[in-house]
Amino acid sequence: MKFTSYNNNSFKKTEYYTRLPEKEREVFDILSSVFHFKVNNYVLEHLINWDAIPNDPIYKLIFPRKEMLPITDYKALQLLYQSGLEEKTLMPFIQKVKKKMYPEVKHCETSIPKVDGVRVRGMYSNFGTIVSLFPDPMAKTCHSYCSYCFRWIMFNNKEAQQNSSYKDPQEPVAFLKEHPEISDVLFTGADPLVLKAKTLREYIDPILEIDSVKVIRISSKSLAWWPFRFTTDQDADELLALFKYIQSRGKHLNLCAHFTHPVELENEAVKQAIQRIRATGTVIRCQGPLVEGINDTPEDWSTLWNKQITLGMVPYYMFIEADHNSESCFRIPLAKALQIFQEAQKKTTGLARTVRGPVFMNDLHRTLLDGVVTINNERFFVLKSLQAPPNTFGEGTIKLIPYSDTTKNAGNLIELFSESPSAIDQLV
């Protein structure tokens, strides 16, 4: 299968656009002028059930929905589109709406590595033993875009891409050599596997020379969005040879595969890709977000985890959204998220108990929603800090948060770990 991608304009020229119900076409026309849109032929032909529109989960995962905008902005855009005005005439208002929706991604200053006081471009280090690397501006895209992704601001923003990625493969080396406590390097982006295998190797090779780095991680959704990256792409064999090469250099290689719904694991193409990756000795650990209206039942997750185990992969994380997005339609109340996770685990093989969740992150903590306790007739969520920056209060710390079955604001809760223990924490 030859890779073909579509943006909001080219998609309108496909047969699939004409198959959309009239109301969905209108929603697409309006929302794709505000949010970035990208889909490929594999997703269109093999993952979306076009007879189930608009409720098909993969359709909802790819195509923007009107709940992503404030209702007043959506109705204003709707009226303007219905007026028949040309898009260039609408553009000033579209840009105004788009600017309001830009995710405000806050970075902790201590998470930005520096060498001799100068920032290391394309590197992020918020936990003590791992750094994230963002190689080459070309990696700031994916084979398709998830509607909930908070990194969409960078997809067509050259300045943001240049500031958050690096071109010189030697860029991270000095910092890593100065910090032998860093054992794990995570290549991320958007998706680093949009790069050619030859280019990816140029970025990985310098890291392999650093003895203190023991683990190479590659974070990617390519198994779900374009499994042919590992089977029939022109450099698929070269990519798999790179996986073997990394391990031959004495490093553990982990592919962090991003799956959101069980249907992403049903096609023979993805099963063949998984087999080929595993044959190289690479470990595939799976993570994904819990998203309102897409995978928000215990059955979705138990099926997903069981399929991952059957295919020889390791369930790793269930994430919940932590206020990266301005649009709240993806968030699920903490109580519901916990219930989905716990009920799903009851229906899976014991091998799936490797998964941690529900977990949410910001620059300060990777935090586990660990359960609910009752103290003096009051109920509390139990939050546990799984990781935190070095030399800060937090890692391994437990906090209690008053229970509510409607609370969605997970992001603000994480910041509580930066405070000293409260009296109620001493009761744990």
Side-chain angles (χ1 to χ4, degrees), residues 310-353:
T310 299
L311 293 170
M313 299 185 291
V314 182
Y316 190 35
Y317 278 121
M318 172 204 273
F319 288 114
I320 50 178
E321 201 271 312
D323 296 346
H324 288 104
N325 292 353
S326 300
E327 58 274 15
S328 62
C329 61
F330 304 112
R331 299 178 198 152
I332 287 178
L334 303 188
K336 181 179 178 182
L338 185 61
Q339 179 263 330
I340 290 171
F341 180 85
Q342 292 175 338
E343 290 297 320
Q345 278 211 322
K346 294 177 183 178
K347 301 177 181 180
T348 60
T349 168
L351 296 178
R353 301 304 169 92

CSV table of all heavy atoms in Angstrom, one decimal, residues 310-353:
chain,number,residue,atom,x,y,z
A,310,THR,N,-2.1,-10.9,23.6
A,310,THR,CA,-2.2,-12.0,22.6
A,310,THR,C,-1.2,-11.8,21.5
A,310,THR,O,-0.6,-12.8,21.0
A,310,THR,CB,-3.6,-12.1,21.9
A,310,THR,OG1,-4.6,-12.3,23.0
A,310,THR,CG2,-3.7,-13.1,20.9
A,311,LEU,N,-0.9,-10.5,21.1
A,311,LEU,CA,0.0,-10.2,20.0
A,311,LEU,C,1.4,-10.1,20.5
A,311,LEU,O,2.3,-9.7,19.8
A,311,LEU,CB,-0.4,-9.0,19.3
A,311,LEU,CG,-1.8,-9.1,18.5
A,311,LEU,CD1,-2.3,-7.7,18.1
A,311,LEU,CD2,-1.6,-10.0,17.3
A,312,GLY,N,1.7,-10.3,21.8
A,312,GLY,CA,3.0,-10.3,22.4
A,312,GLY,C,3.5,-9.0,22.8
A,312,GLY,O,4.7,-8.8,22.9
A,313,MET,N,2.6,-8.1,23.1
A,313,MET,CA,3.0,-6.7,23.5
A,313,MET,C,2.7,-6.6,25.0
A,313,MET,O,2.0,-7.4,25.6
A,313,MET,CB,2.3,-5.7,22.7
A,313,MET,CG,2.6,-5.7,21.2
A,313,MET,SD,1.9,-4.4,20.2
A,313,MET,CE,0.1,-4.8,20.3
A,314,VAL,N,3.2,-5.5,25.6
A,314,VAL,CA,3.1,-5.3,27.0
A,314,VAL,C,2.2,-4.0,27.3
A,314,VAL,O,2.6,-2.9,27.0
A,314,VAL,CB,4.5,-5.1,27.7
A,314,VAL,CG1,4.3,-4.9,29.2
A,314,VAL,CG2,5.4,-6.2,27.4
A,315,PRO,N,1.0,-4.2,27.9
A,315,PRO,CA,0.2,-3.0,28.3
A,315,PRO,C,1.0,-2.2,29.3
A,315,PRO,O,1.6,-2.7,30.3
A,315,PRO,CB,-1.0,-3.6,28.9
A,315,PRO,CG,-1.1,-5.0,28.3
A,315,PRO,CD,0.3,-5.5,28.1
A,316,TYR,N,1.1,-0.9,29.1
A,316,TYR,CA,2.0,-0.1,29.9
A,316,TYR,C,1.3,1.1,30.7
A,316,TYR,O,1.4,1.2,31.9
A,316,TYR,CB,3.1,0.5,28.9
A,316,TYR,CG,4.3,1.2,29.5
A,316,TYR,CD1,4.8,0.8,30.7
A,316,TYR,CD2,4.9,2.2,28.8
A,316,TYR,CE1,5.9,1.4,31.2
A,316,TYR,CE2,6.0,2.9,29.3
A,316,TYR,CZ,6.5,2.5,30.5
A,316,TYR,OH,7.6,3.1,31.0
A,317,TYR,N,0.6,2.0,29.9
A,317,TYR,CA,0.0,3.1,30.6
A,317,TYR,C,-1.4,3.3,30.0
A,317,TYR,O,-1.6,3.2,28.8
A,317,TYR,CB,0.8,4.4,30.4
A,317,TYR,CG,1.9,4.6,31.4
A,317,TYR,CD1,3.2,4.7,30.9
A,317,TYR,CD2,1.7,4.7,32.7
A,317,TYR,CE1,4.3,4.9,31.7
A,317,TYR,CE2,2.8,4.8,33.6
A,317,TYR,CZ,4.0,5.0,33.1
A,317,TYR,OH,5.1,5.2,34.0
A,318,MET,N,-2.4,3.7,30.9
A,318,MET,CA,-3.6,4.3,30.5
A,318,MET,C,-3.5,5.8,31.0
A,318,MET,O,-3.4,6.0,32.2
A,318,MET,CB,-4.9,3.7,31.1
A,318,MET,CG,-6.1,4.5,30.9
A,318,MET,SD,-7.5,4.2,32.1
A,318,MET,CE,-8.3,2.8,31.3
A,319,PHE,N,-3.5,6.7,30.1
A,319,PHE,CA,-3.4,8.1,30.4
A,319,PHE,C,-4.7,8.8,30.5
A,319,PHE,O,-5.7,8.4,29.8
A,319,PHE,CB,-2.5,8.9,29.4
A,319,PHE,CG,-1.0,8.5,29.5
A,319,PHE,CD1,-0.4,7.9,28.5
A,319,PHE,CD2,-0.3,8.8,30.6
A,319,PHE,CE1,1.0,7.6,28.5
A,319,PHE,CE2,1.1,8.5,30.7
A,319,PHE,CZ,1.7,7.9,29.7
A,320,ILE,N,-4.8,9.8,31.3
A,320,ILE,CA,-6.0,10.7,31.3
A,320,ILE,C,-5.5,12.1,31.0
A,320,ILE,O,-4.4,12.5,31.4
A,320,ILE,CB,-6.9,10.6,32.5
A,320,ILE,CG1,-6.0,10.8,33.8
A,320,ILE,CG2,-7.6,9.3,32.5
A,320,ILE,CD1,-6.9,10.7,35.1
A,321,GLU,N,-6.3,12.9,30.3
A,321,GLU,CA,-5.9,14.2,29.9
A,321,GLU,C,-5.8,15.2,31.1
A,321,GLU,O,-6.6,15.2,32.0
A,321,GLU,CB,-7.0,14.8,28.9
A,321,GLU,CG,-6.5,15.9,28.0
A,321,GLU,CD,-6.7,17.2,28.7
A,321,GLU,OE1,-7.7,17.5,29.2
A,321,GLU,OE2,-5.7,18.0,28.7
A,322,ALA,N,-4.7,15.9,31.1
A,322,ALA,CA,-4.3,16.8,32.3
A,322,ALA,C,-4.3,18.2,31.9
A,322,ALA,O,-3.3,18.9,32.1
A,322,ALA,CB,-3.0,16.3,32.9
A,323,ASP,N,-5.4,18.7,31.3
A,323,ASP,CA,-5.5,20.2,31.0
A,323,ASP,C,-4.5,20.7,30.0
A,323,ASP,O,-4.3,21.9,30.0
A,323,ASP,CB,-5.4,21.0,32.3
A,323,ASP,CG,-6.6,20.7,33.3
A,323,ASP,OD1,-7.5,20.0,32.8
A,323,ASP,OD2,-6.5,21.0,34.4
A,324,HIS,N,-4.0,19.9,29.1
A,324,HIS,CA,-3.1,20.4,28.0
A,324,HIS,C,-4.0,21.1,27.0
A,324,HIS,O,-3.6,22.1,26.4
A,324,HIS,CB,-2.3,19.3,27.4
A,324,HIS,CG,-1.2,18.8,28.2
A,324,HIS,ND1,-1.3,17.6,28.8
A,324,HIS,CD2,0.0,19.3,28.5
A,324,HIS,CE1,-0.1,17.4,29.5
A,324,HIS,NE2,0.6,18.4,29.3
A,325,ASN,N,-5.3,20.6,26.8
A,325,ASN,CA,-6.2,21.1,25.8
A,325,ASN,C,-7.1,22.2,26.4
A,325,ASN,O,-7.6,22.1,27.5
A,325,ASN,CB,-7.0,20.0,25.3
A,325,ASN,CG,-6.2,19.0,24.5
A,325,ASN,OD1,-5.0,19.2,24.2
A,325,ASN,ND2,-6.8,17.9,24.0
A,326,SER,N,-7.3,23.2,25.5
A,326,SER,CA,-8.4,24.2,25.9
A,326,SER,C,-9.8,23.5,25.8
A,326,SER,O,-10.7,23.9,26.5
A,326,SER,CB,-8.3,25.4,25.0
A,326,SER,OG,-7.0,26.0,25.1
A,327,GLU,N,-9.9,22.6,24.8
A,327,GLU,CA,-11.2,22.0,24.7
A,327,GLU,C,-11.3,20.9,25.7
A,327,GLU,O,-10.5,20.0,25.8
A,327,GLU,CB,-11.4,21.4,23.2
A,327,GLU,CG,-10.3,20.5,22.8
A,327,GLU,CD,-9.1,21.1,22.2
A,327,GLU,OE1,-8.9,22.3,22.4
A,327,GLU,OE2,-8.3,20.4,21.5
A,328,SER,N,-12.4,20.9,26.5
A,328,SER,CA,-12.6,19.9,27.6
A,328,SER,C,-13.4,18.7,27.2
A,328,SER,O,-13.7,17.8,28.0
A,328,SER,CB,-13.3,20.6,28.8
A,328,SER,OG,-14.5,21.1,28.4
A,329,CYS,N,-13.8,18.6,25.9
A,329,CYS,CA,-14.8,17.5,25.5
A,329,CYS,C,-14.1,16.2,25.5
A,329,CYS,O,-14.8,15.1,25.5
A,329,CYS,CB,-15.4,17.8,24.2
A,329,CYS,SG,-14.1,17.9,22.8
A,330,PHE,N,-12.8,16.1,25.7
A,330,PHE,CA,-12.1,14.8,25.7
A,330,PHE,C,-11.9,14.3,27.1
A,330,PHE,O,-11.6,13.1,27.3
A,330,PHE,CB,-10.7,15.0,25.1
A,330,PHE,CG,-10.7,15.5,23.7
A,330,PHE,CD1,-10.1,16.7,23.4
A,330,PHE,CD2,-11.2,14.8,22.7
A,330,PHE,CE1,-10.1,17.2,22.1
A,330,PHE,CE2,-11.2,15.2,21.4
A,330,PHE,CZ,-10.7,16.5,21.1
A,331,ARG,N,-12.1,15.1,28.1
A,331,ARG,CA,-11.9,14.7,29.5
A,331,ARG,C,-13.0,13.9,30.1
A,331,ARG,O,-14.1,14.1,29.7
A,331,ARG,CB,-11.6,16.0,30.4
A,331,ARG,CG,-10.5,16.8,29.9
A,331,ARG,CD,-10.3,18.1,30.8
A,331,ARG,NE,-9.5,19.1,30.1
A,331,ARG,CZ,-9.6,20.4,30.2
A,331,ARG,NH1,-10.5,20.9,31.0
A,331,ARG,NH2,-8.8,21.2,29.5
A,332,ILE,N,-12.6,13.1,31.0
A,332,ILE,CA,-13.5,12.2,31.7
A,332,ILE,C,-13.4,12.4,33.2
A,332,ILE,O,-12.3,12.6,33.7
A,332,ILE,CB,-13.2,10.7,31.4
A,332,ILE,CG1,-13.7,10.4,29.9
A,332,ILE,CG2,-13.9,9.7,32.3
A,332,ILE,CD1,-13.4,9.0,29.5
A,333,PRO,N,-14.5,12.5,34.0
A,333,PRO,CA,-14.3,12.7,35.4
A,333,PRO,C,-13.4,11.6,36.0
A,333,PRO,O,-13.4,10.4,35.6
A,333,PRO,CB,-15.8,12.5,35.9
A,333,PRO,CG,-16.6,12.9,34.7
A,333,PRO,CD,-15.9,12.4,33.5
A,334,LEU,N,-12.7,12.0,37.0
A,334,LEU,CA,-11.7,11.1,37.6
A,334,LEU,C,-12.4,9.8,38.2
A,334,LEU,O,-11.8,8.7,38.1
A,334,LEU,CB,-11.0,11.8,38.8
A,334,LEU,CG,-10.2,13.1,38.4
A,334,LEU,CD1,-9.4,13.5,39.6
A,334,LEU,CD2,-9.3,12.9,37.2
A,335,ALA,N,-13.5,10.0,38.8
A,335,ALA,CA,-14.2,8.8,39.3
A,335,ALA,C,-14.6,7.8,38.2
A,335,ALA,O,-14.4,6.6,38.4
A,335,ALA,CB,-15.5,9.2,40.0
A,336,LYS,N,-15.0,8.3,37.1
A,336,LYS,CA,-15.4,7.4,35.9
A,336,LYS,C,-14.1,6.8,35.4
A,336,LYS,O,-14.1,5.6,35.0
A,336,LYS,CB,-16.1,8.2,34.8
A,336,LYS,CG,-16.5,7.4,33.6
A,336,LYS,CD,-17.2,8.2,32.6
A,336,LYS,CE,-17.6,7.3,31.4
A,336,LYS,NZ,-18.3,8.1,30.3
A,337,ALA,N,-13.0,7.5,35.3
A,337,ALA,CA,-11.8,7.0,34.8
A,337,ALA,C,-11.3,5.9,35.6
A,337,ALA,O,-10.9,4.8,35.2
A,337,ALA,CB,-10.7,8.1,34.7
A,338,LEU,N,-11.3,6.0,36.9
A,338,LEU,CA,-10.9,5.0,37.9
A,338,LEU,C,-11.8,3.8,37.8
A,338,LEU,O,-11.3,2.6,37.8
A,338,LEU,CB,-10.9,5.6,39.3
A,338,LEU,CG,-10.4,4.6,40.4
A,338,LEU,CD1,-8.9,4.3,40.1
A,338,LEU,CD2,-10.5,5.3,41.8
A,339,GLN,N,-13.1,4.0,37.7
A,339,GLN,CA,-14.0,2.9,37.5
A,339,GLN,C,-13.8,2.1,36.3
A,339,GLN,O,-13.8,0.8,36.3
A,339,GLN,CB,-15.5,3.4,37.6
A,339,GLN,CG,-16.5,2.3,37.4
A,339,GLN,CD,-17.0,2.2,36.0
A,339,GLN,OE1,-17.1,3.1,35.3
A,339,GLN,NE2,-17.5,0.9,35.7
A,340,ILE,N,-13.5,2.8,35.1
A,340,ILE,CA,-13.2,2.1,33.9
A,340,ILE,C,-12.0,1.3,34.0
A,340,ILE,O,-11.9,0.1,33.6
A,340,ILE,CB,-13.1,3.1,32.7
A,340,ILE,CG1,-14.5,3.8,32.4
A,340,ILE,CG2,-12.5,2.5,31.5
A,340,ILE,CD1,-14.4,4.9,31.5
A,341,PHE,N,-10.9,1.8,34.6
A,341,PHE,CA,-9.7,1.1,34.7
A,341,PHE,C,-9.8,-0.1,35.6
A,341,PHE,O,-9.4,-1.2,35.2
A,341,PHE,CB,-8.6,2.1,35.3
A,341,PHE,CG,-7.3,1.4,35.5
A,341,PHE,CD1,-6.4,1.3,34.5
A,341,PHE,CD2,-6.9,0.8,36.7
A,341,PHE,CE1,-5.1,0.7,34.6
A,341,PHE,CE2,-5.7,0.2,36.9
A,341,PHE,CZ,-4.8,0.2,35.8
A,342,GLN,N,-10.4,0.0,36.7
A,342,GLN,CA,-10.6,-1.1,37.7
A,342,GLN,C,-11.5,-2.2,37.1
A,342,GLN,O,-11.1,-3.4,37.2
A,342,GLN,CB,-11.1,-0.6,39.0
A,342,GLN,CG,-10.1,0.3,39.7
A,342,GLN,CD,-10.7,0.9,41.0
A,342,GLN,OE1,-11.9,1.0,41.2
A,342,GLN,NE2,-9.8,1.3,41.9
A,343,GLU,N,-12.5,-1.8,36.5
A,343,GLU,CA,-13.4,-2.8,35.9
A,343,GLU,C,-12.8,-3.5,34.7
A,343,GLU,O,-12.9,-4.8,34.5
A,343,GLU,CB,-14.7,-2.2,35.4
A,343,GLU,CG,-15.6,-1.7,36.6
A,343,GLU,CD,-16.1,-2.9,37.4
A,343,GLU,OE1,-16.4,-4.0,36.9
A,343,GLU,OE2,-16.1,-2.8,38.7
A,344,ALA,N,-12.0,-2.8,33.9
A,344,ALA,CA,-11.3,-3.4,32.8
A,344,ALA,C,-10.3,-4.4,33.2
A,344,ALA,O,-10.1,-5.5,32.6
A,344,ALA,CB,-10.6,-2.3,31.9
A,345,GLN,N,-9.5,-4.1,34.3
A,345,GLN,CA,-8.5,-5.0,34.8
A,345,GLN,C,-9.1,-6.4,35.3
A,345,GLN,O,-8.5,-7.4,35.2
A,345,GLN,CB,-7.7,-4.4,35.9
A,345,GLN,CG,-6.6,-3.5,35.5
A,345,GLN,CD,-5.4,-3.5,36.4
A,345,GLN,OE1,-5.6,-3.5,37.6
A,345,GLN,NE2,-4.2,-3.4,35.9
A,346,LYS,N,-10.4,-6.3,35.8
A,346,LYS,CA,-11.0,-7.6,36.2
A,346,LYS,C,-11.3,-8.5,35.1
A,346,LYS,O,-11.5,-9.7,35.3
A,346,LYS,CB,-12.3,-7.2,36.9
A,346,LYS,CG,-12.2,-6.4,38.2
A,346,LYS,CD,-13.5,-6.1,38.8
A,346,LYS,CE,-13.4,-5.2,40.1
A,346,LYS,NZ,-14.8,-4.8,40.6
A,347,LYS,N,-11.3,-8.0,33.9
A,347,LYS,CA,-11.7,-8.8,32.7
A,347,LYS,C,-10.5,-9.1,31.8
A,347,LYS,O,-10.7,-9.6,30.7
A,347,LYS,CB,-12.7,-8.0,31.9
A,347,LYS,CG,-14.0,-7.6,32.6
A,347,LYS,CD,-14.9,-6.8,31.8
A,347,LYS,CE,-16.2,-6.4,32.5
A,347,LYS,NZ,-17.1,-5.6,31.7
A,348,THR,N,-9.3,-8.9,32.3
A,348,THR,CA,-8.1,-9.2,31.5
A,348,THR,C,-7.3,-10.3,32.2
A,348,THR,O,-7.5,-10.6,33.3
A,348,THR,CB,-7.2,-8.0,31.4
A,348,THR,OG1,-6.8,-7.5,32.7
A,348,THR,CG2,-7.9,-6.8,30.7
A,349,THR,N,-6.5,-10.9,31.3
A,349,THR,CA,-5.5,-11.8,31.9
A,349,THR,C,-4.6,-11.2,32.9
A,349,THR,O,-4.3,-9.9,32.8
A,349,THR,CB,-4.6,-12.4,30.7
A,349,THR,OG1,-3.5,-13.1,31.3
A,349,THR,CG2,-4.1,-11.3,29.8
A,350,GLY,N,-4.1,-11.9,33.8
A,350,GLY,CA,-3.2,-11.4,34.8
A,350,GLY,C,-2.0,-10.7,34.2
A,350,GLY,O,-1.3,-9.8,34.8
A,351,LEU,N,-1.6,-11.1,33.0
A,351,LEU,CA,-0.4,-10.6,32.4
A,351,LEU,C,-0.6,-9.1,32.0
A,351,LEU,O,0.4,-8.4,31.8
A,351,LEU,CB,0.0,-11.3,31.1
A,351,LEU,CG,0.4,-12.8,31.3
A,351,LEU,CD1,0.6,-13.5,30.0
A,351,LEU,CD2,1.6,-12.9,32.2
A,352,ALA,N,-1.9,-8.6,32.0
A,352,ALA,CA,-2.1,-7.2,31.6
A,352,ALA,C,-2.0,-6.4,32.9
A,352,ALA,O,-2.2,-5.1,32.8
A,352,ALA,CB,-3.5,-7.1,31.0
A,353,ARG,N,-1.7,-6.9,34.0
A,353,ARG,CA,-1.6,-6.1,35.2
A,353,ARG,C,-0.3,-5.3,35.3
A,353,ARG,O,-0.1,-4.6,36.2
A,353,ARG,CB,-1.7,-7.0,36.5
A,353,ARG,CG,-3.0,-7.8,36.6
A,353,ARG,CD,-4.2,-6.9,36.6
A,353,ARG,NE,-5.4,-7.7,36.4
A,353,ARG,CZ,-6.2,-8.1,37.4
A,353,ARG,NH1,-5.8,-7.9,38.7
A,353,ARG,NH2,-7.3,-8.8,37.2
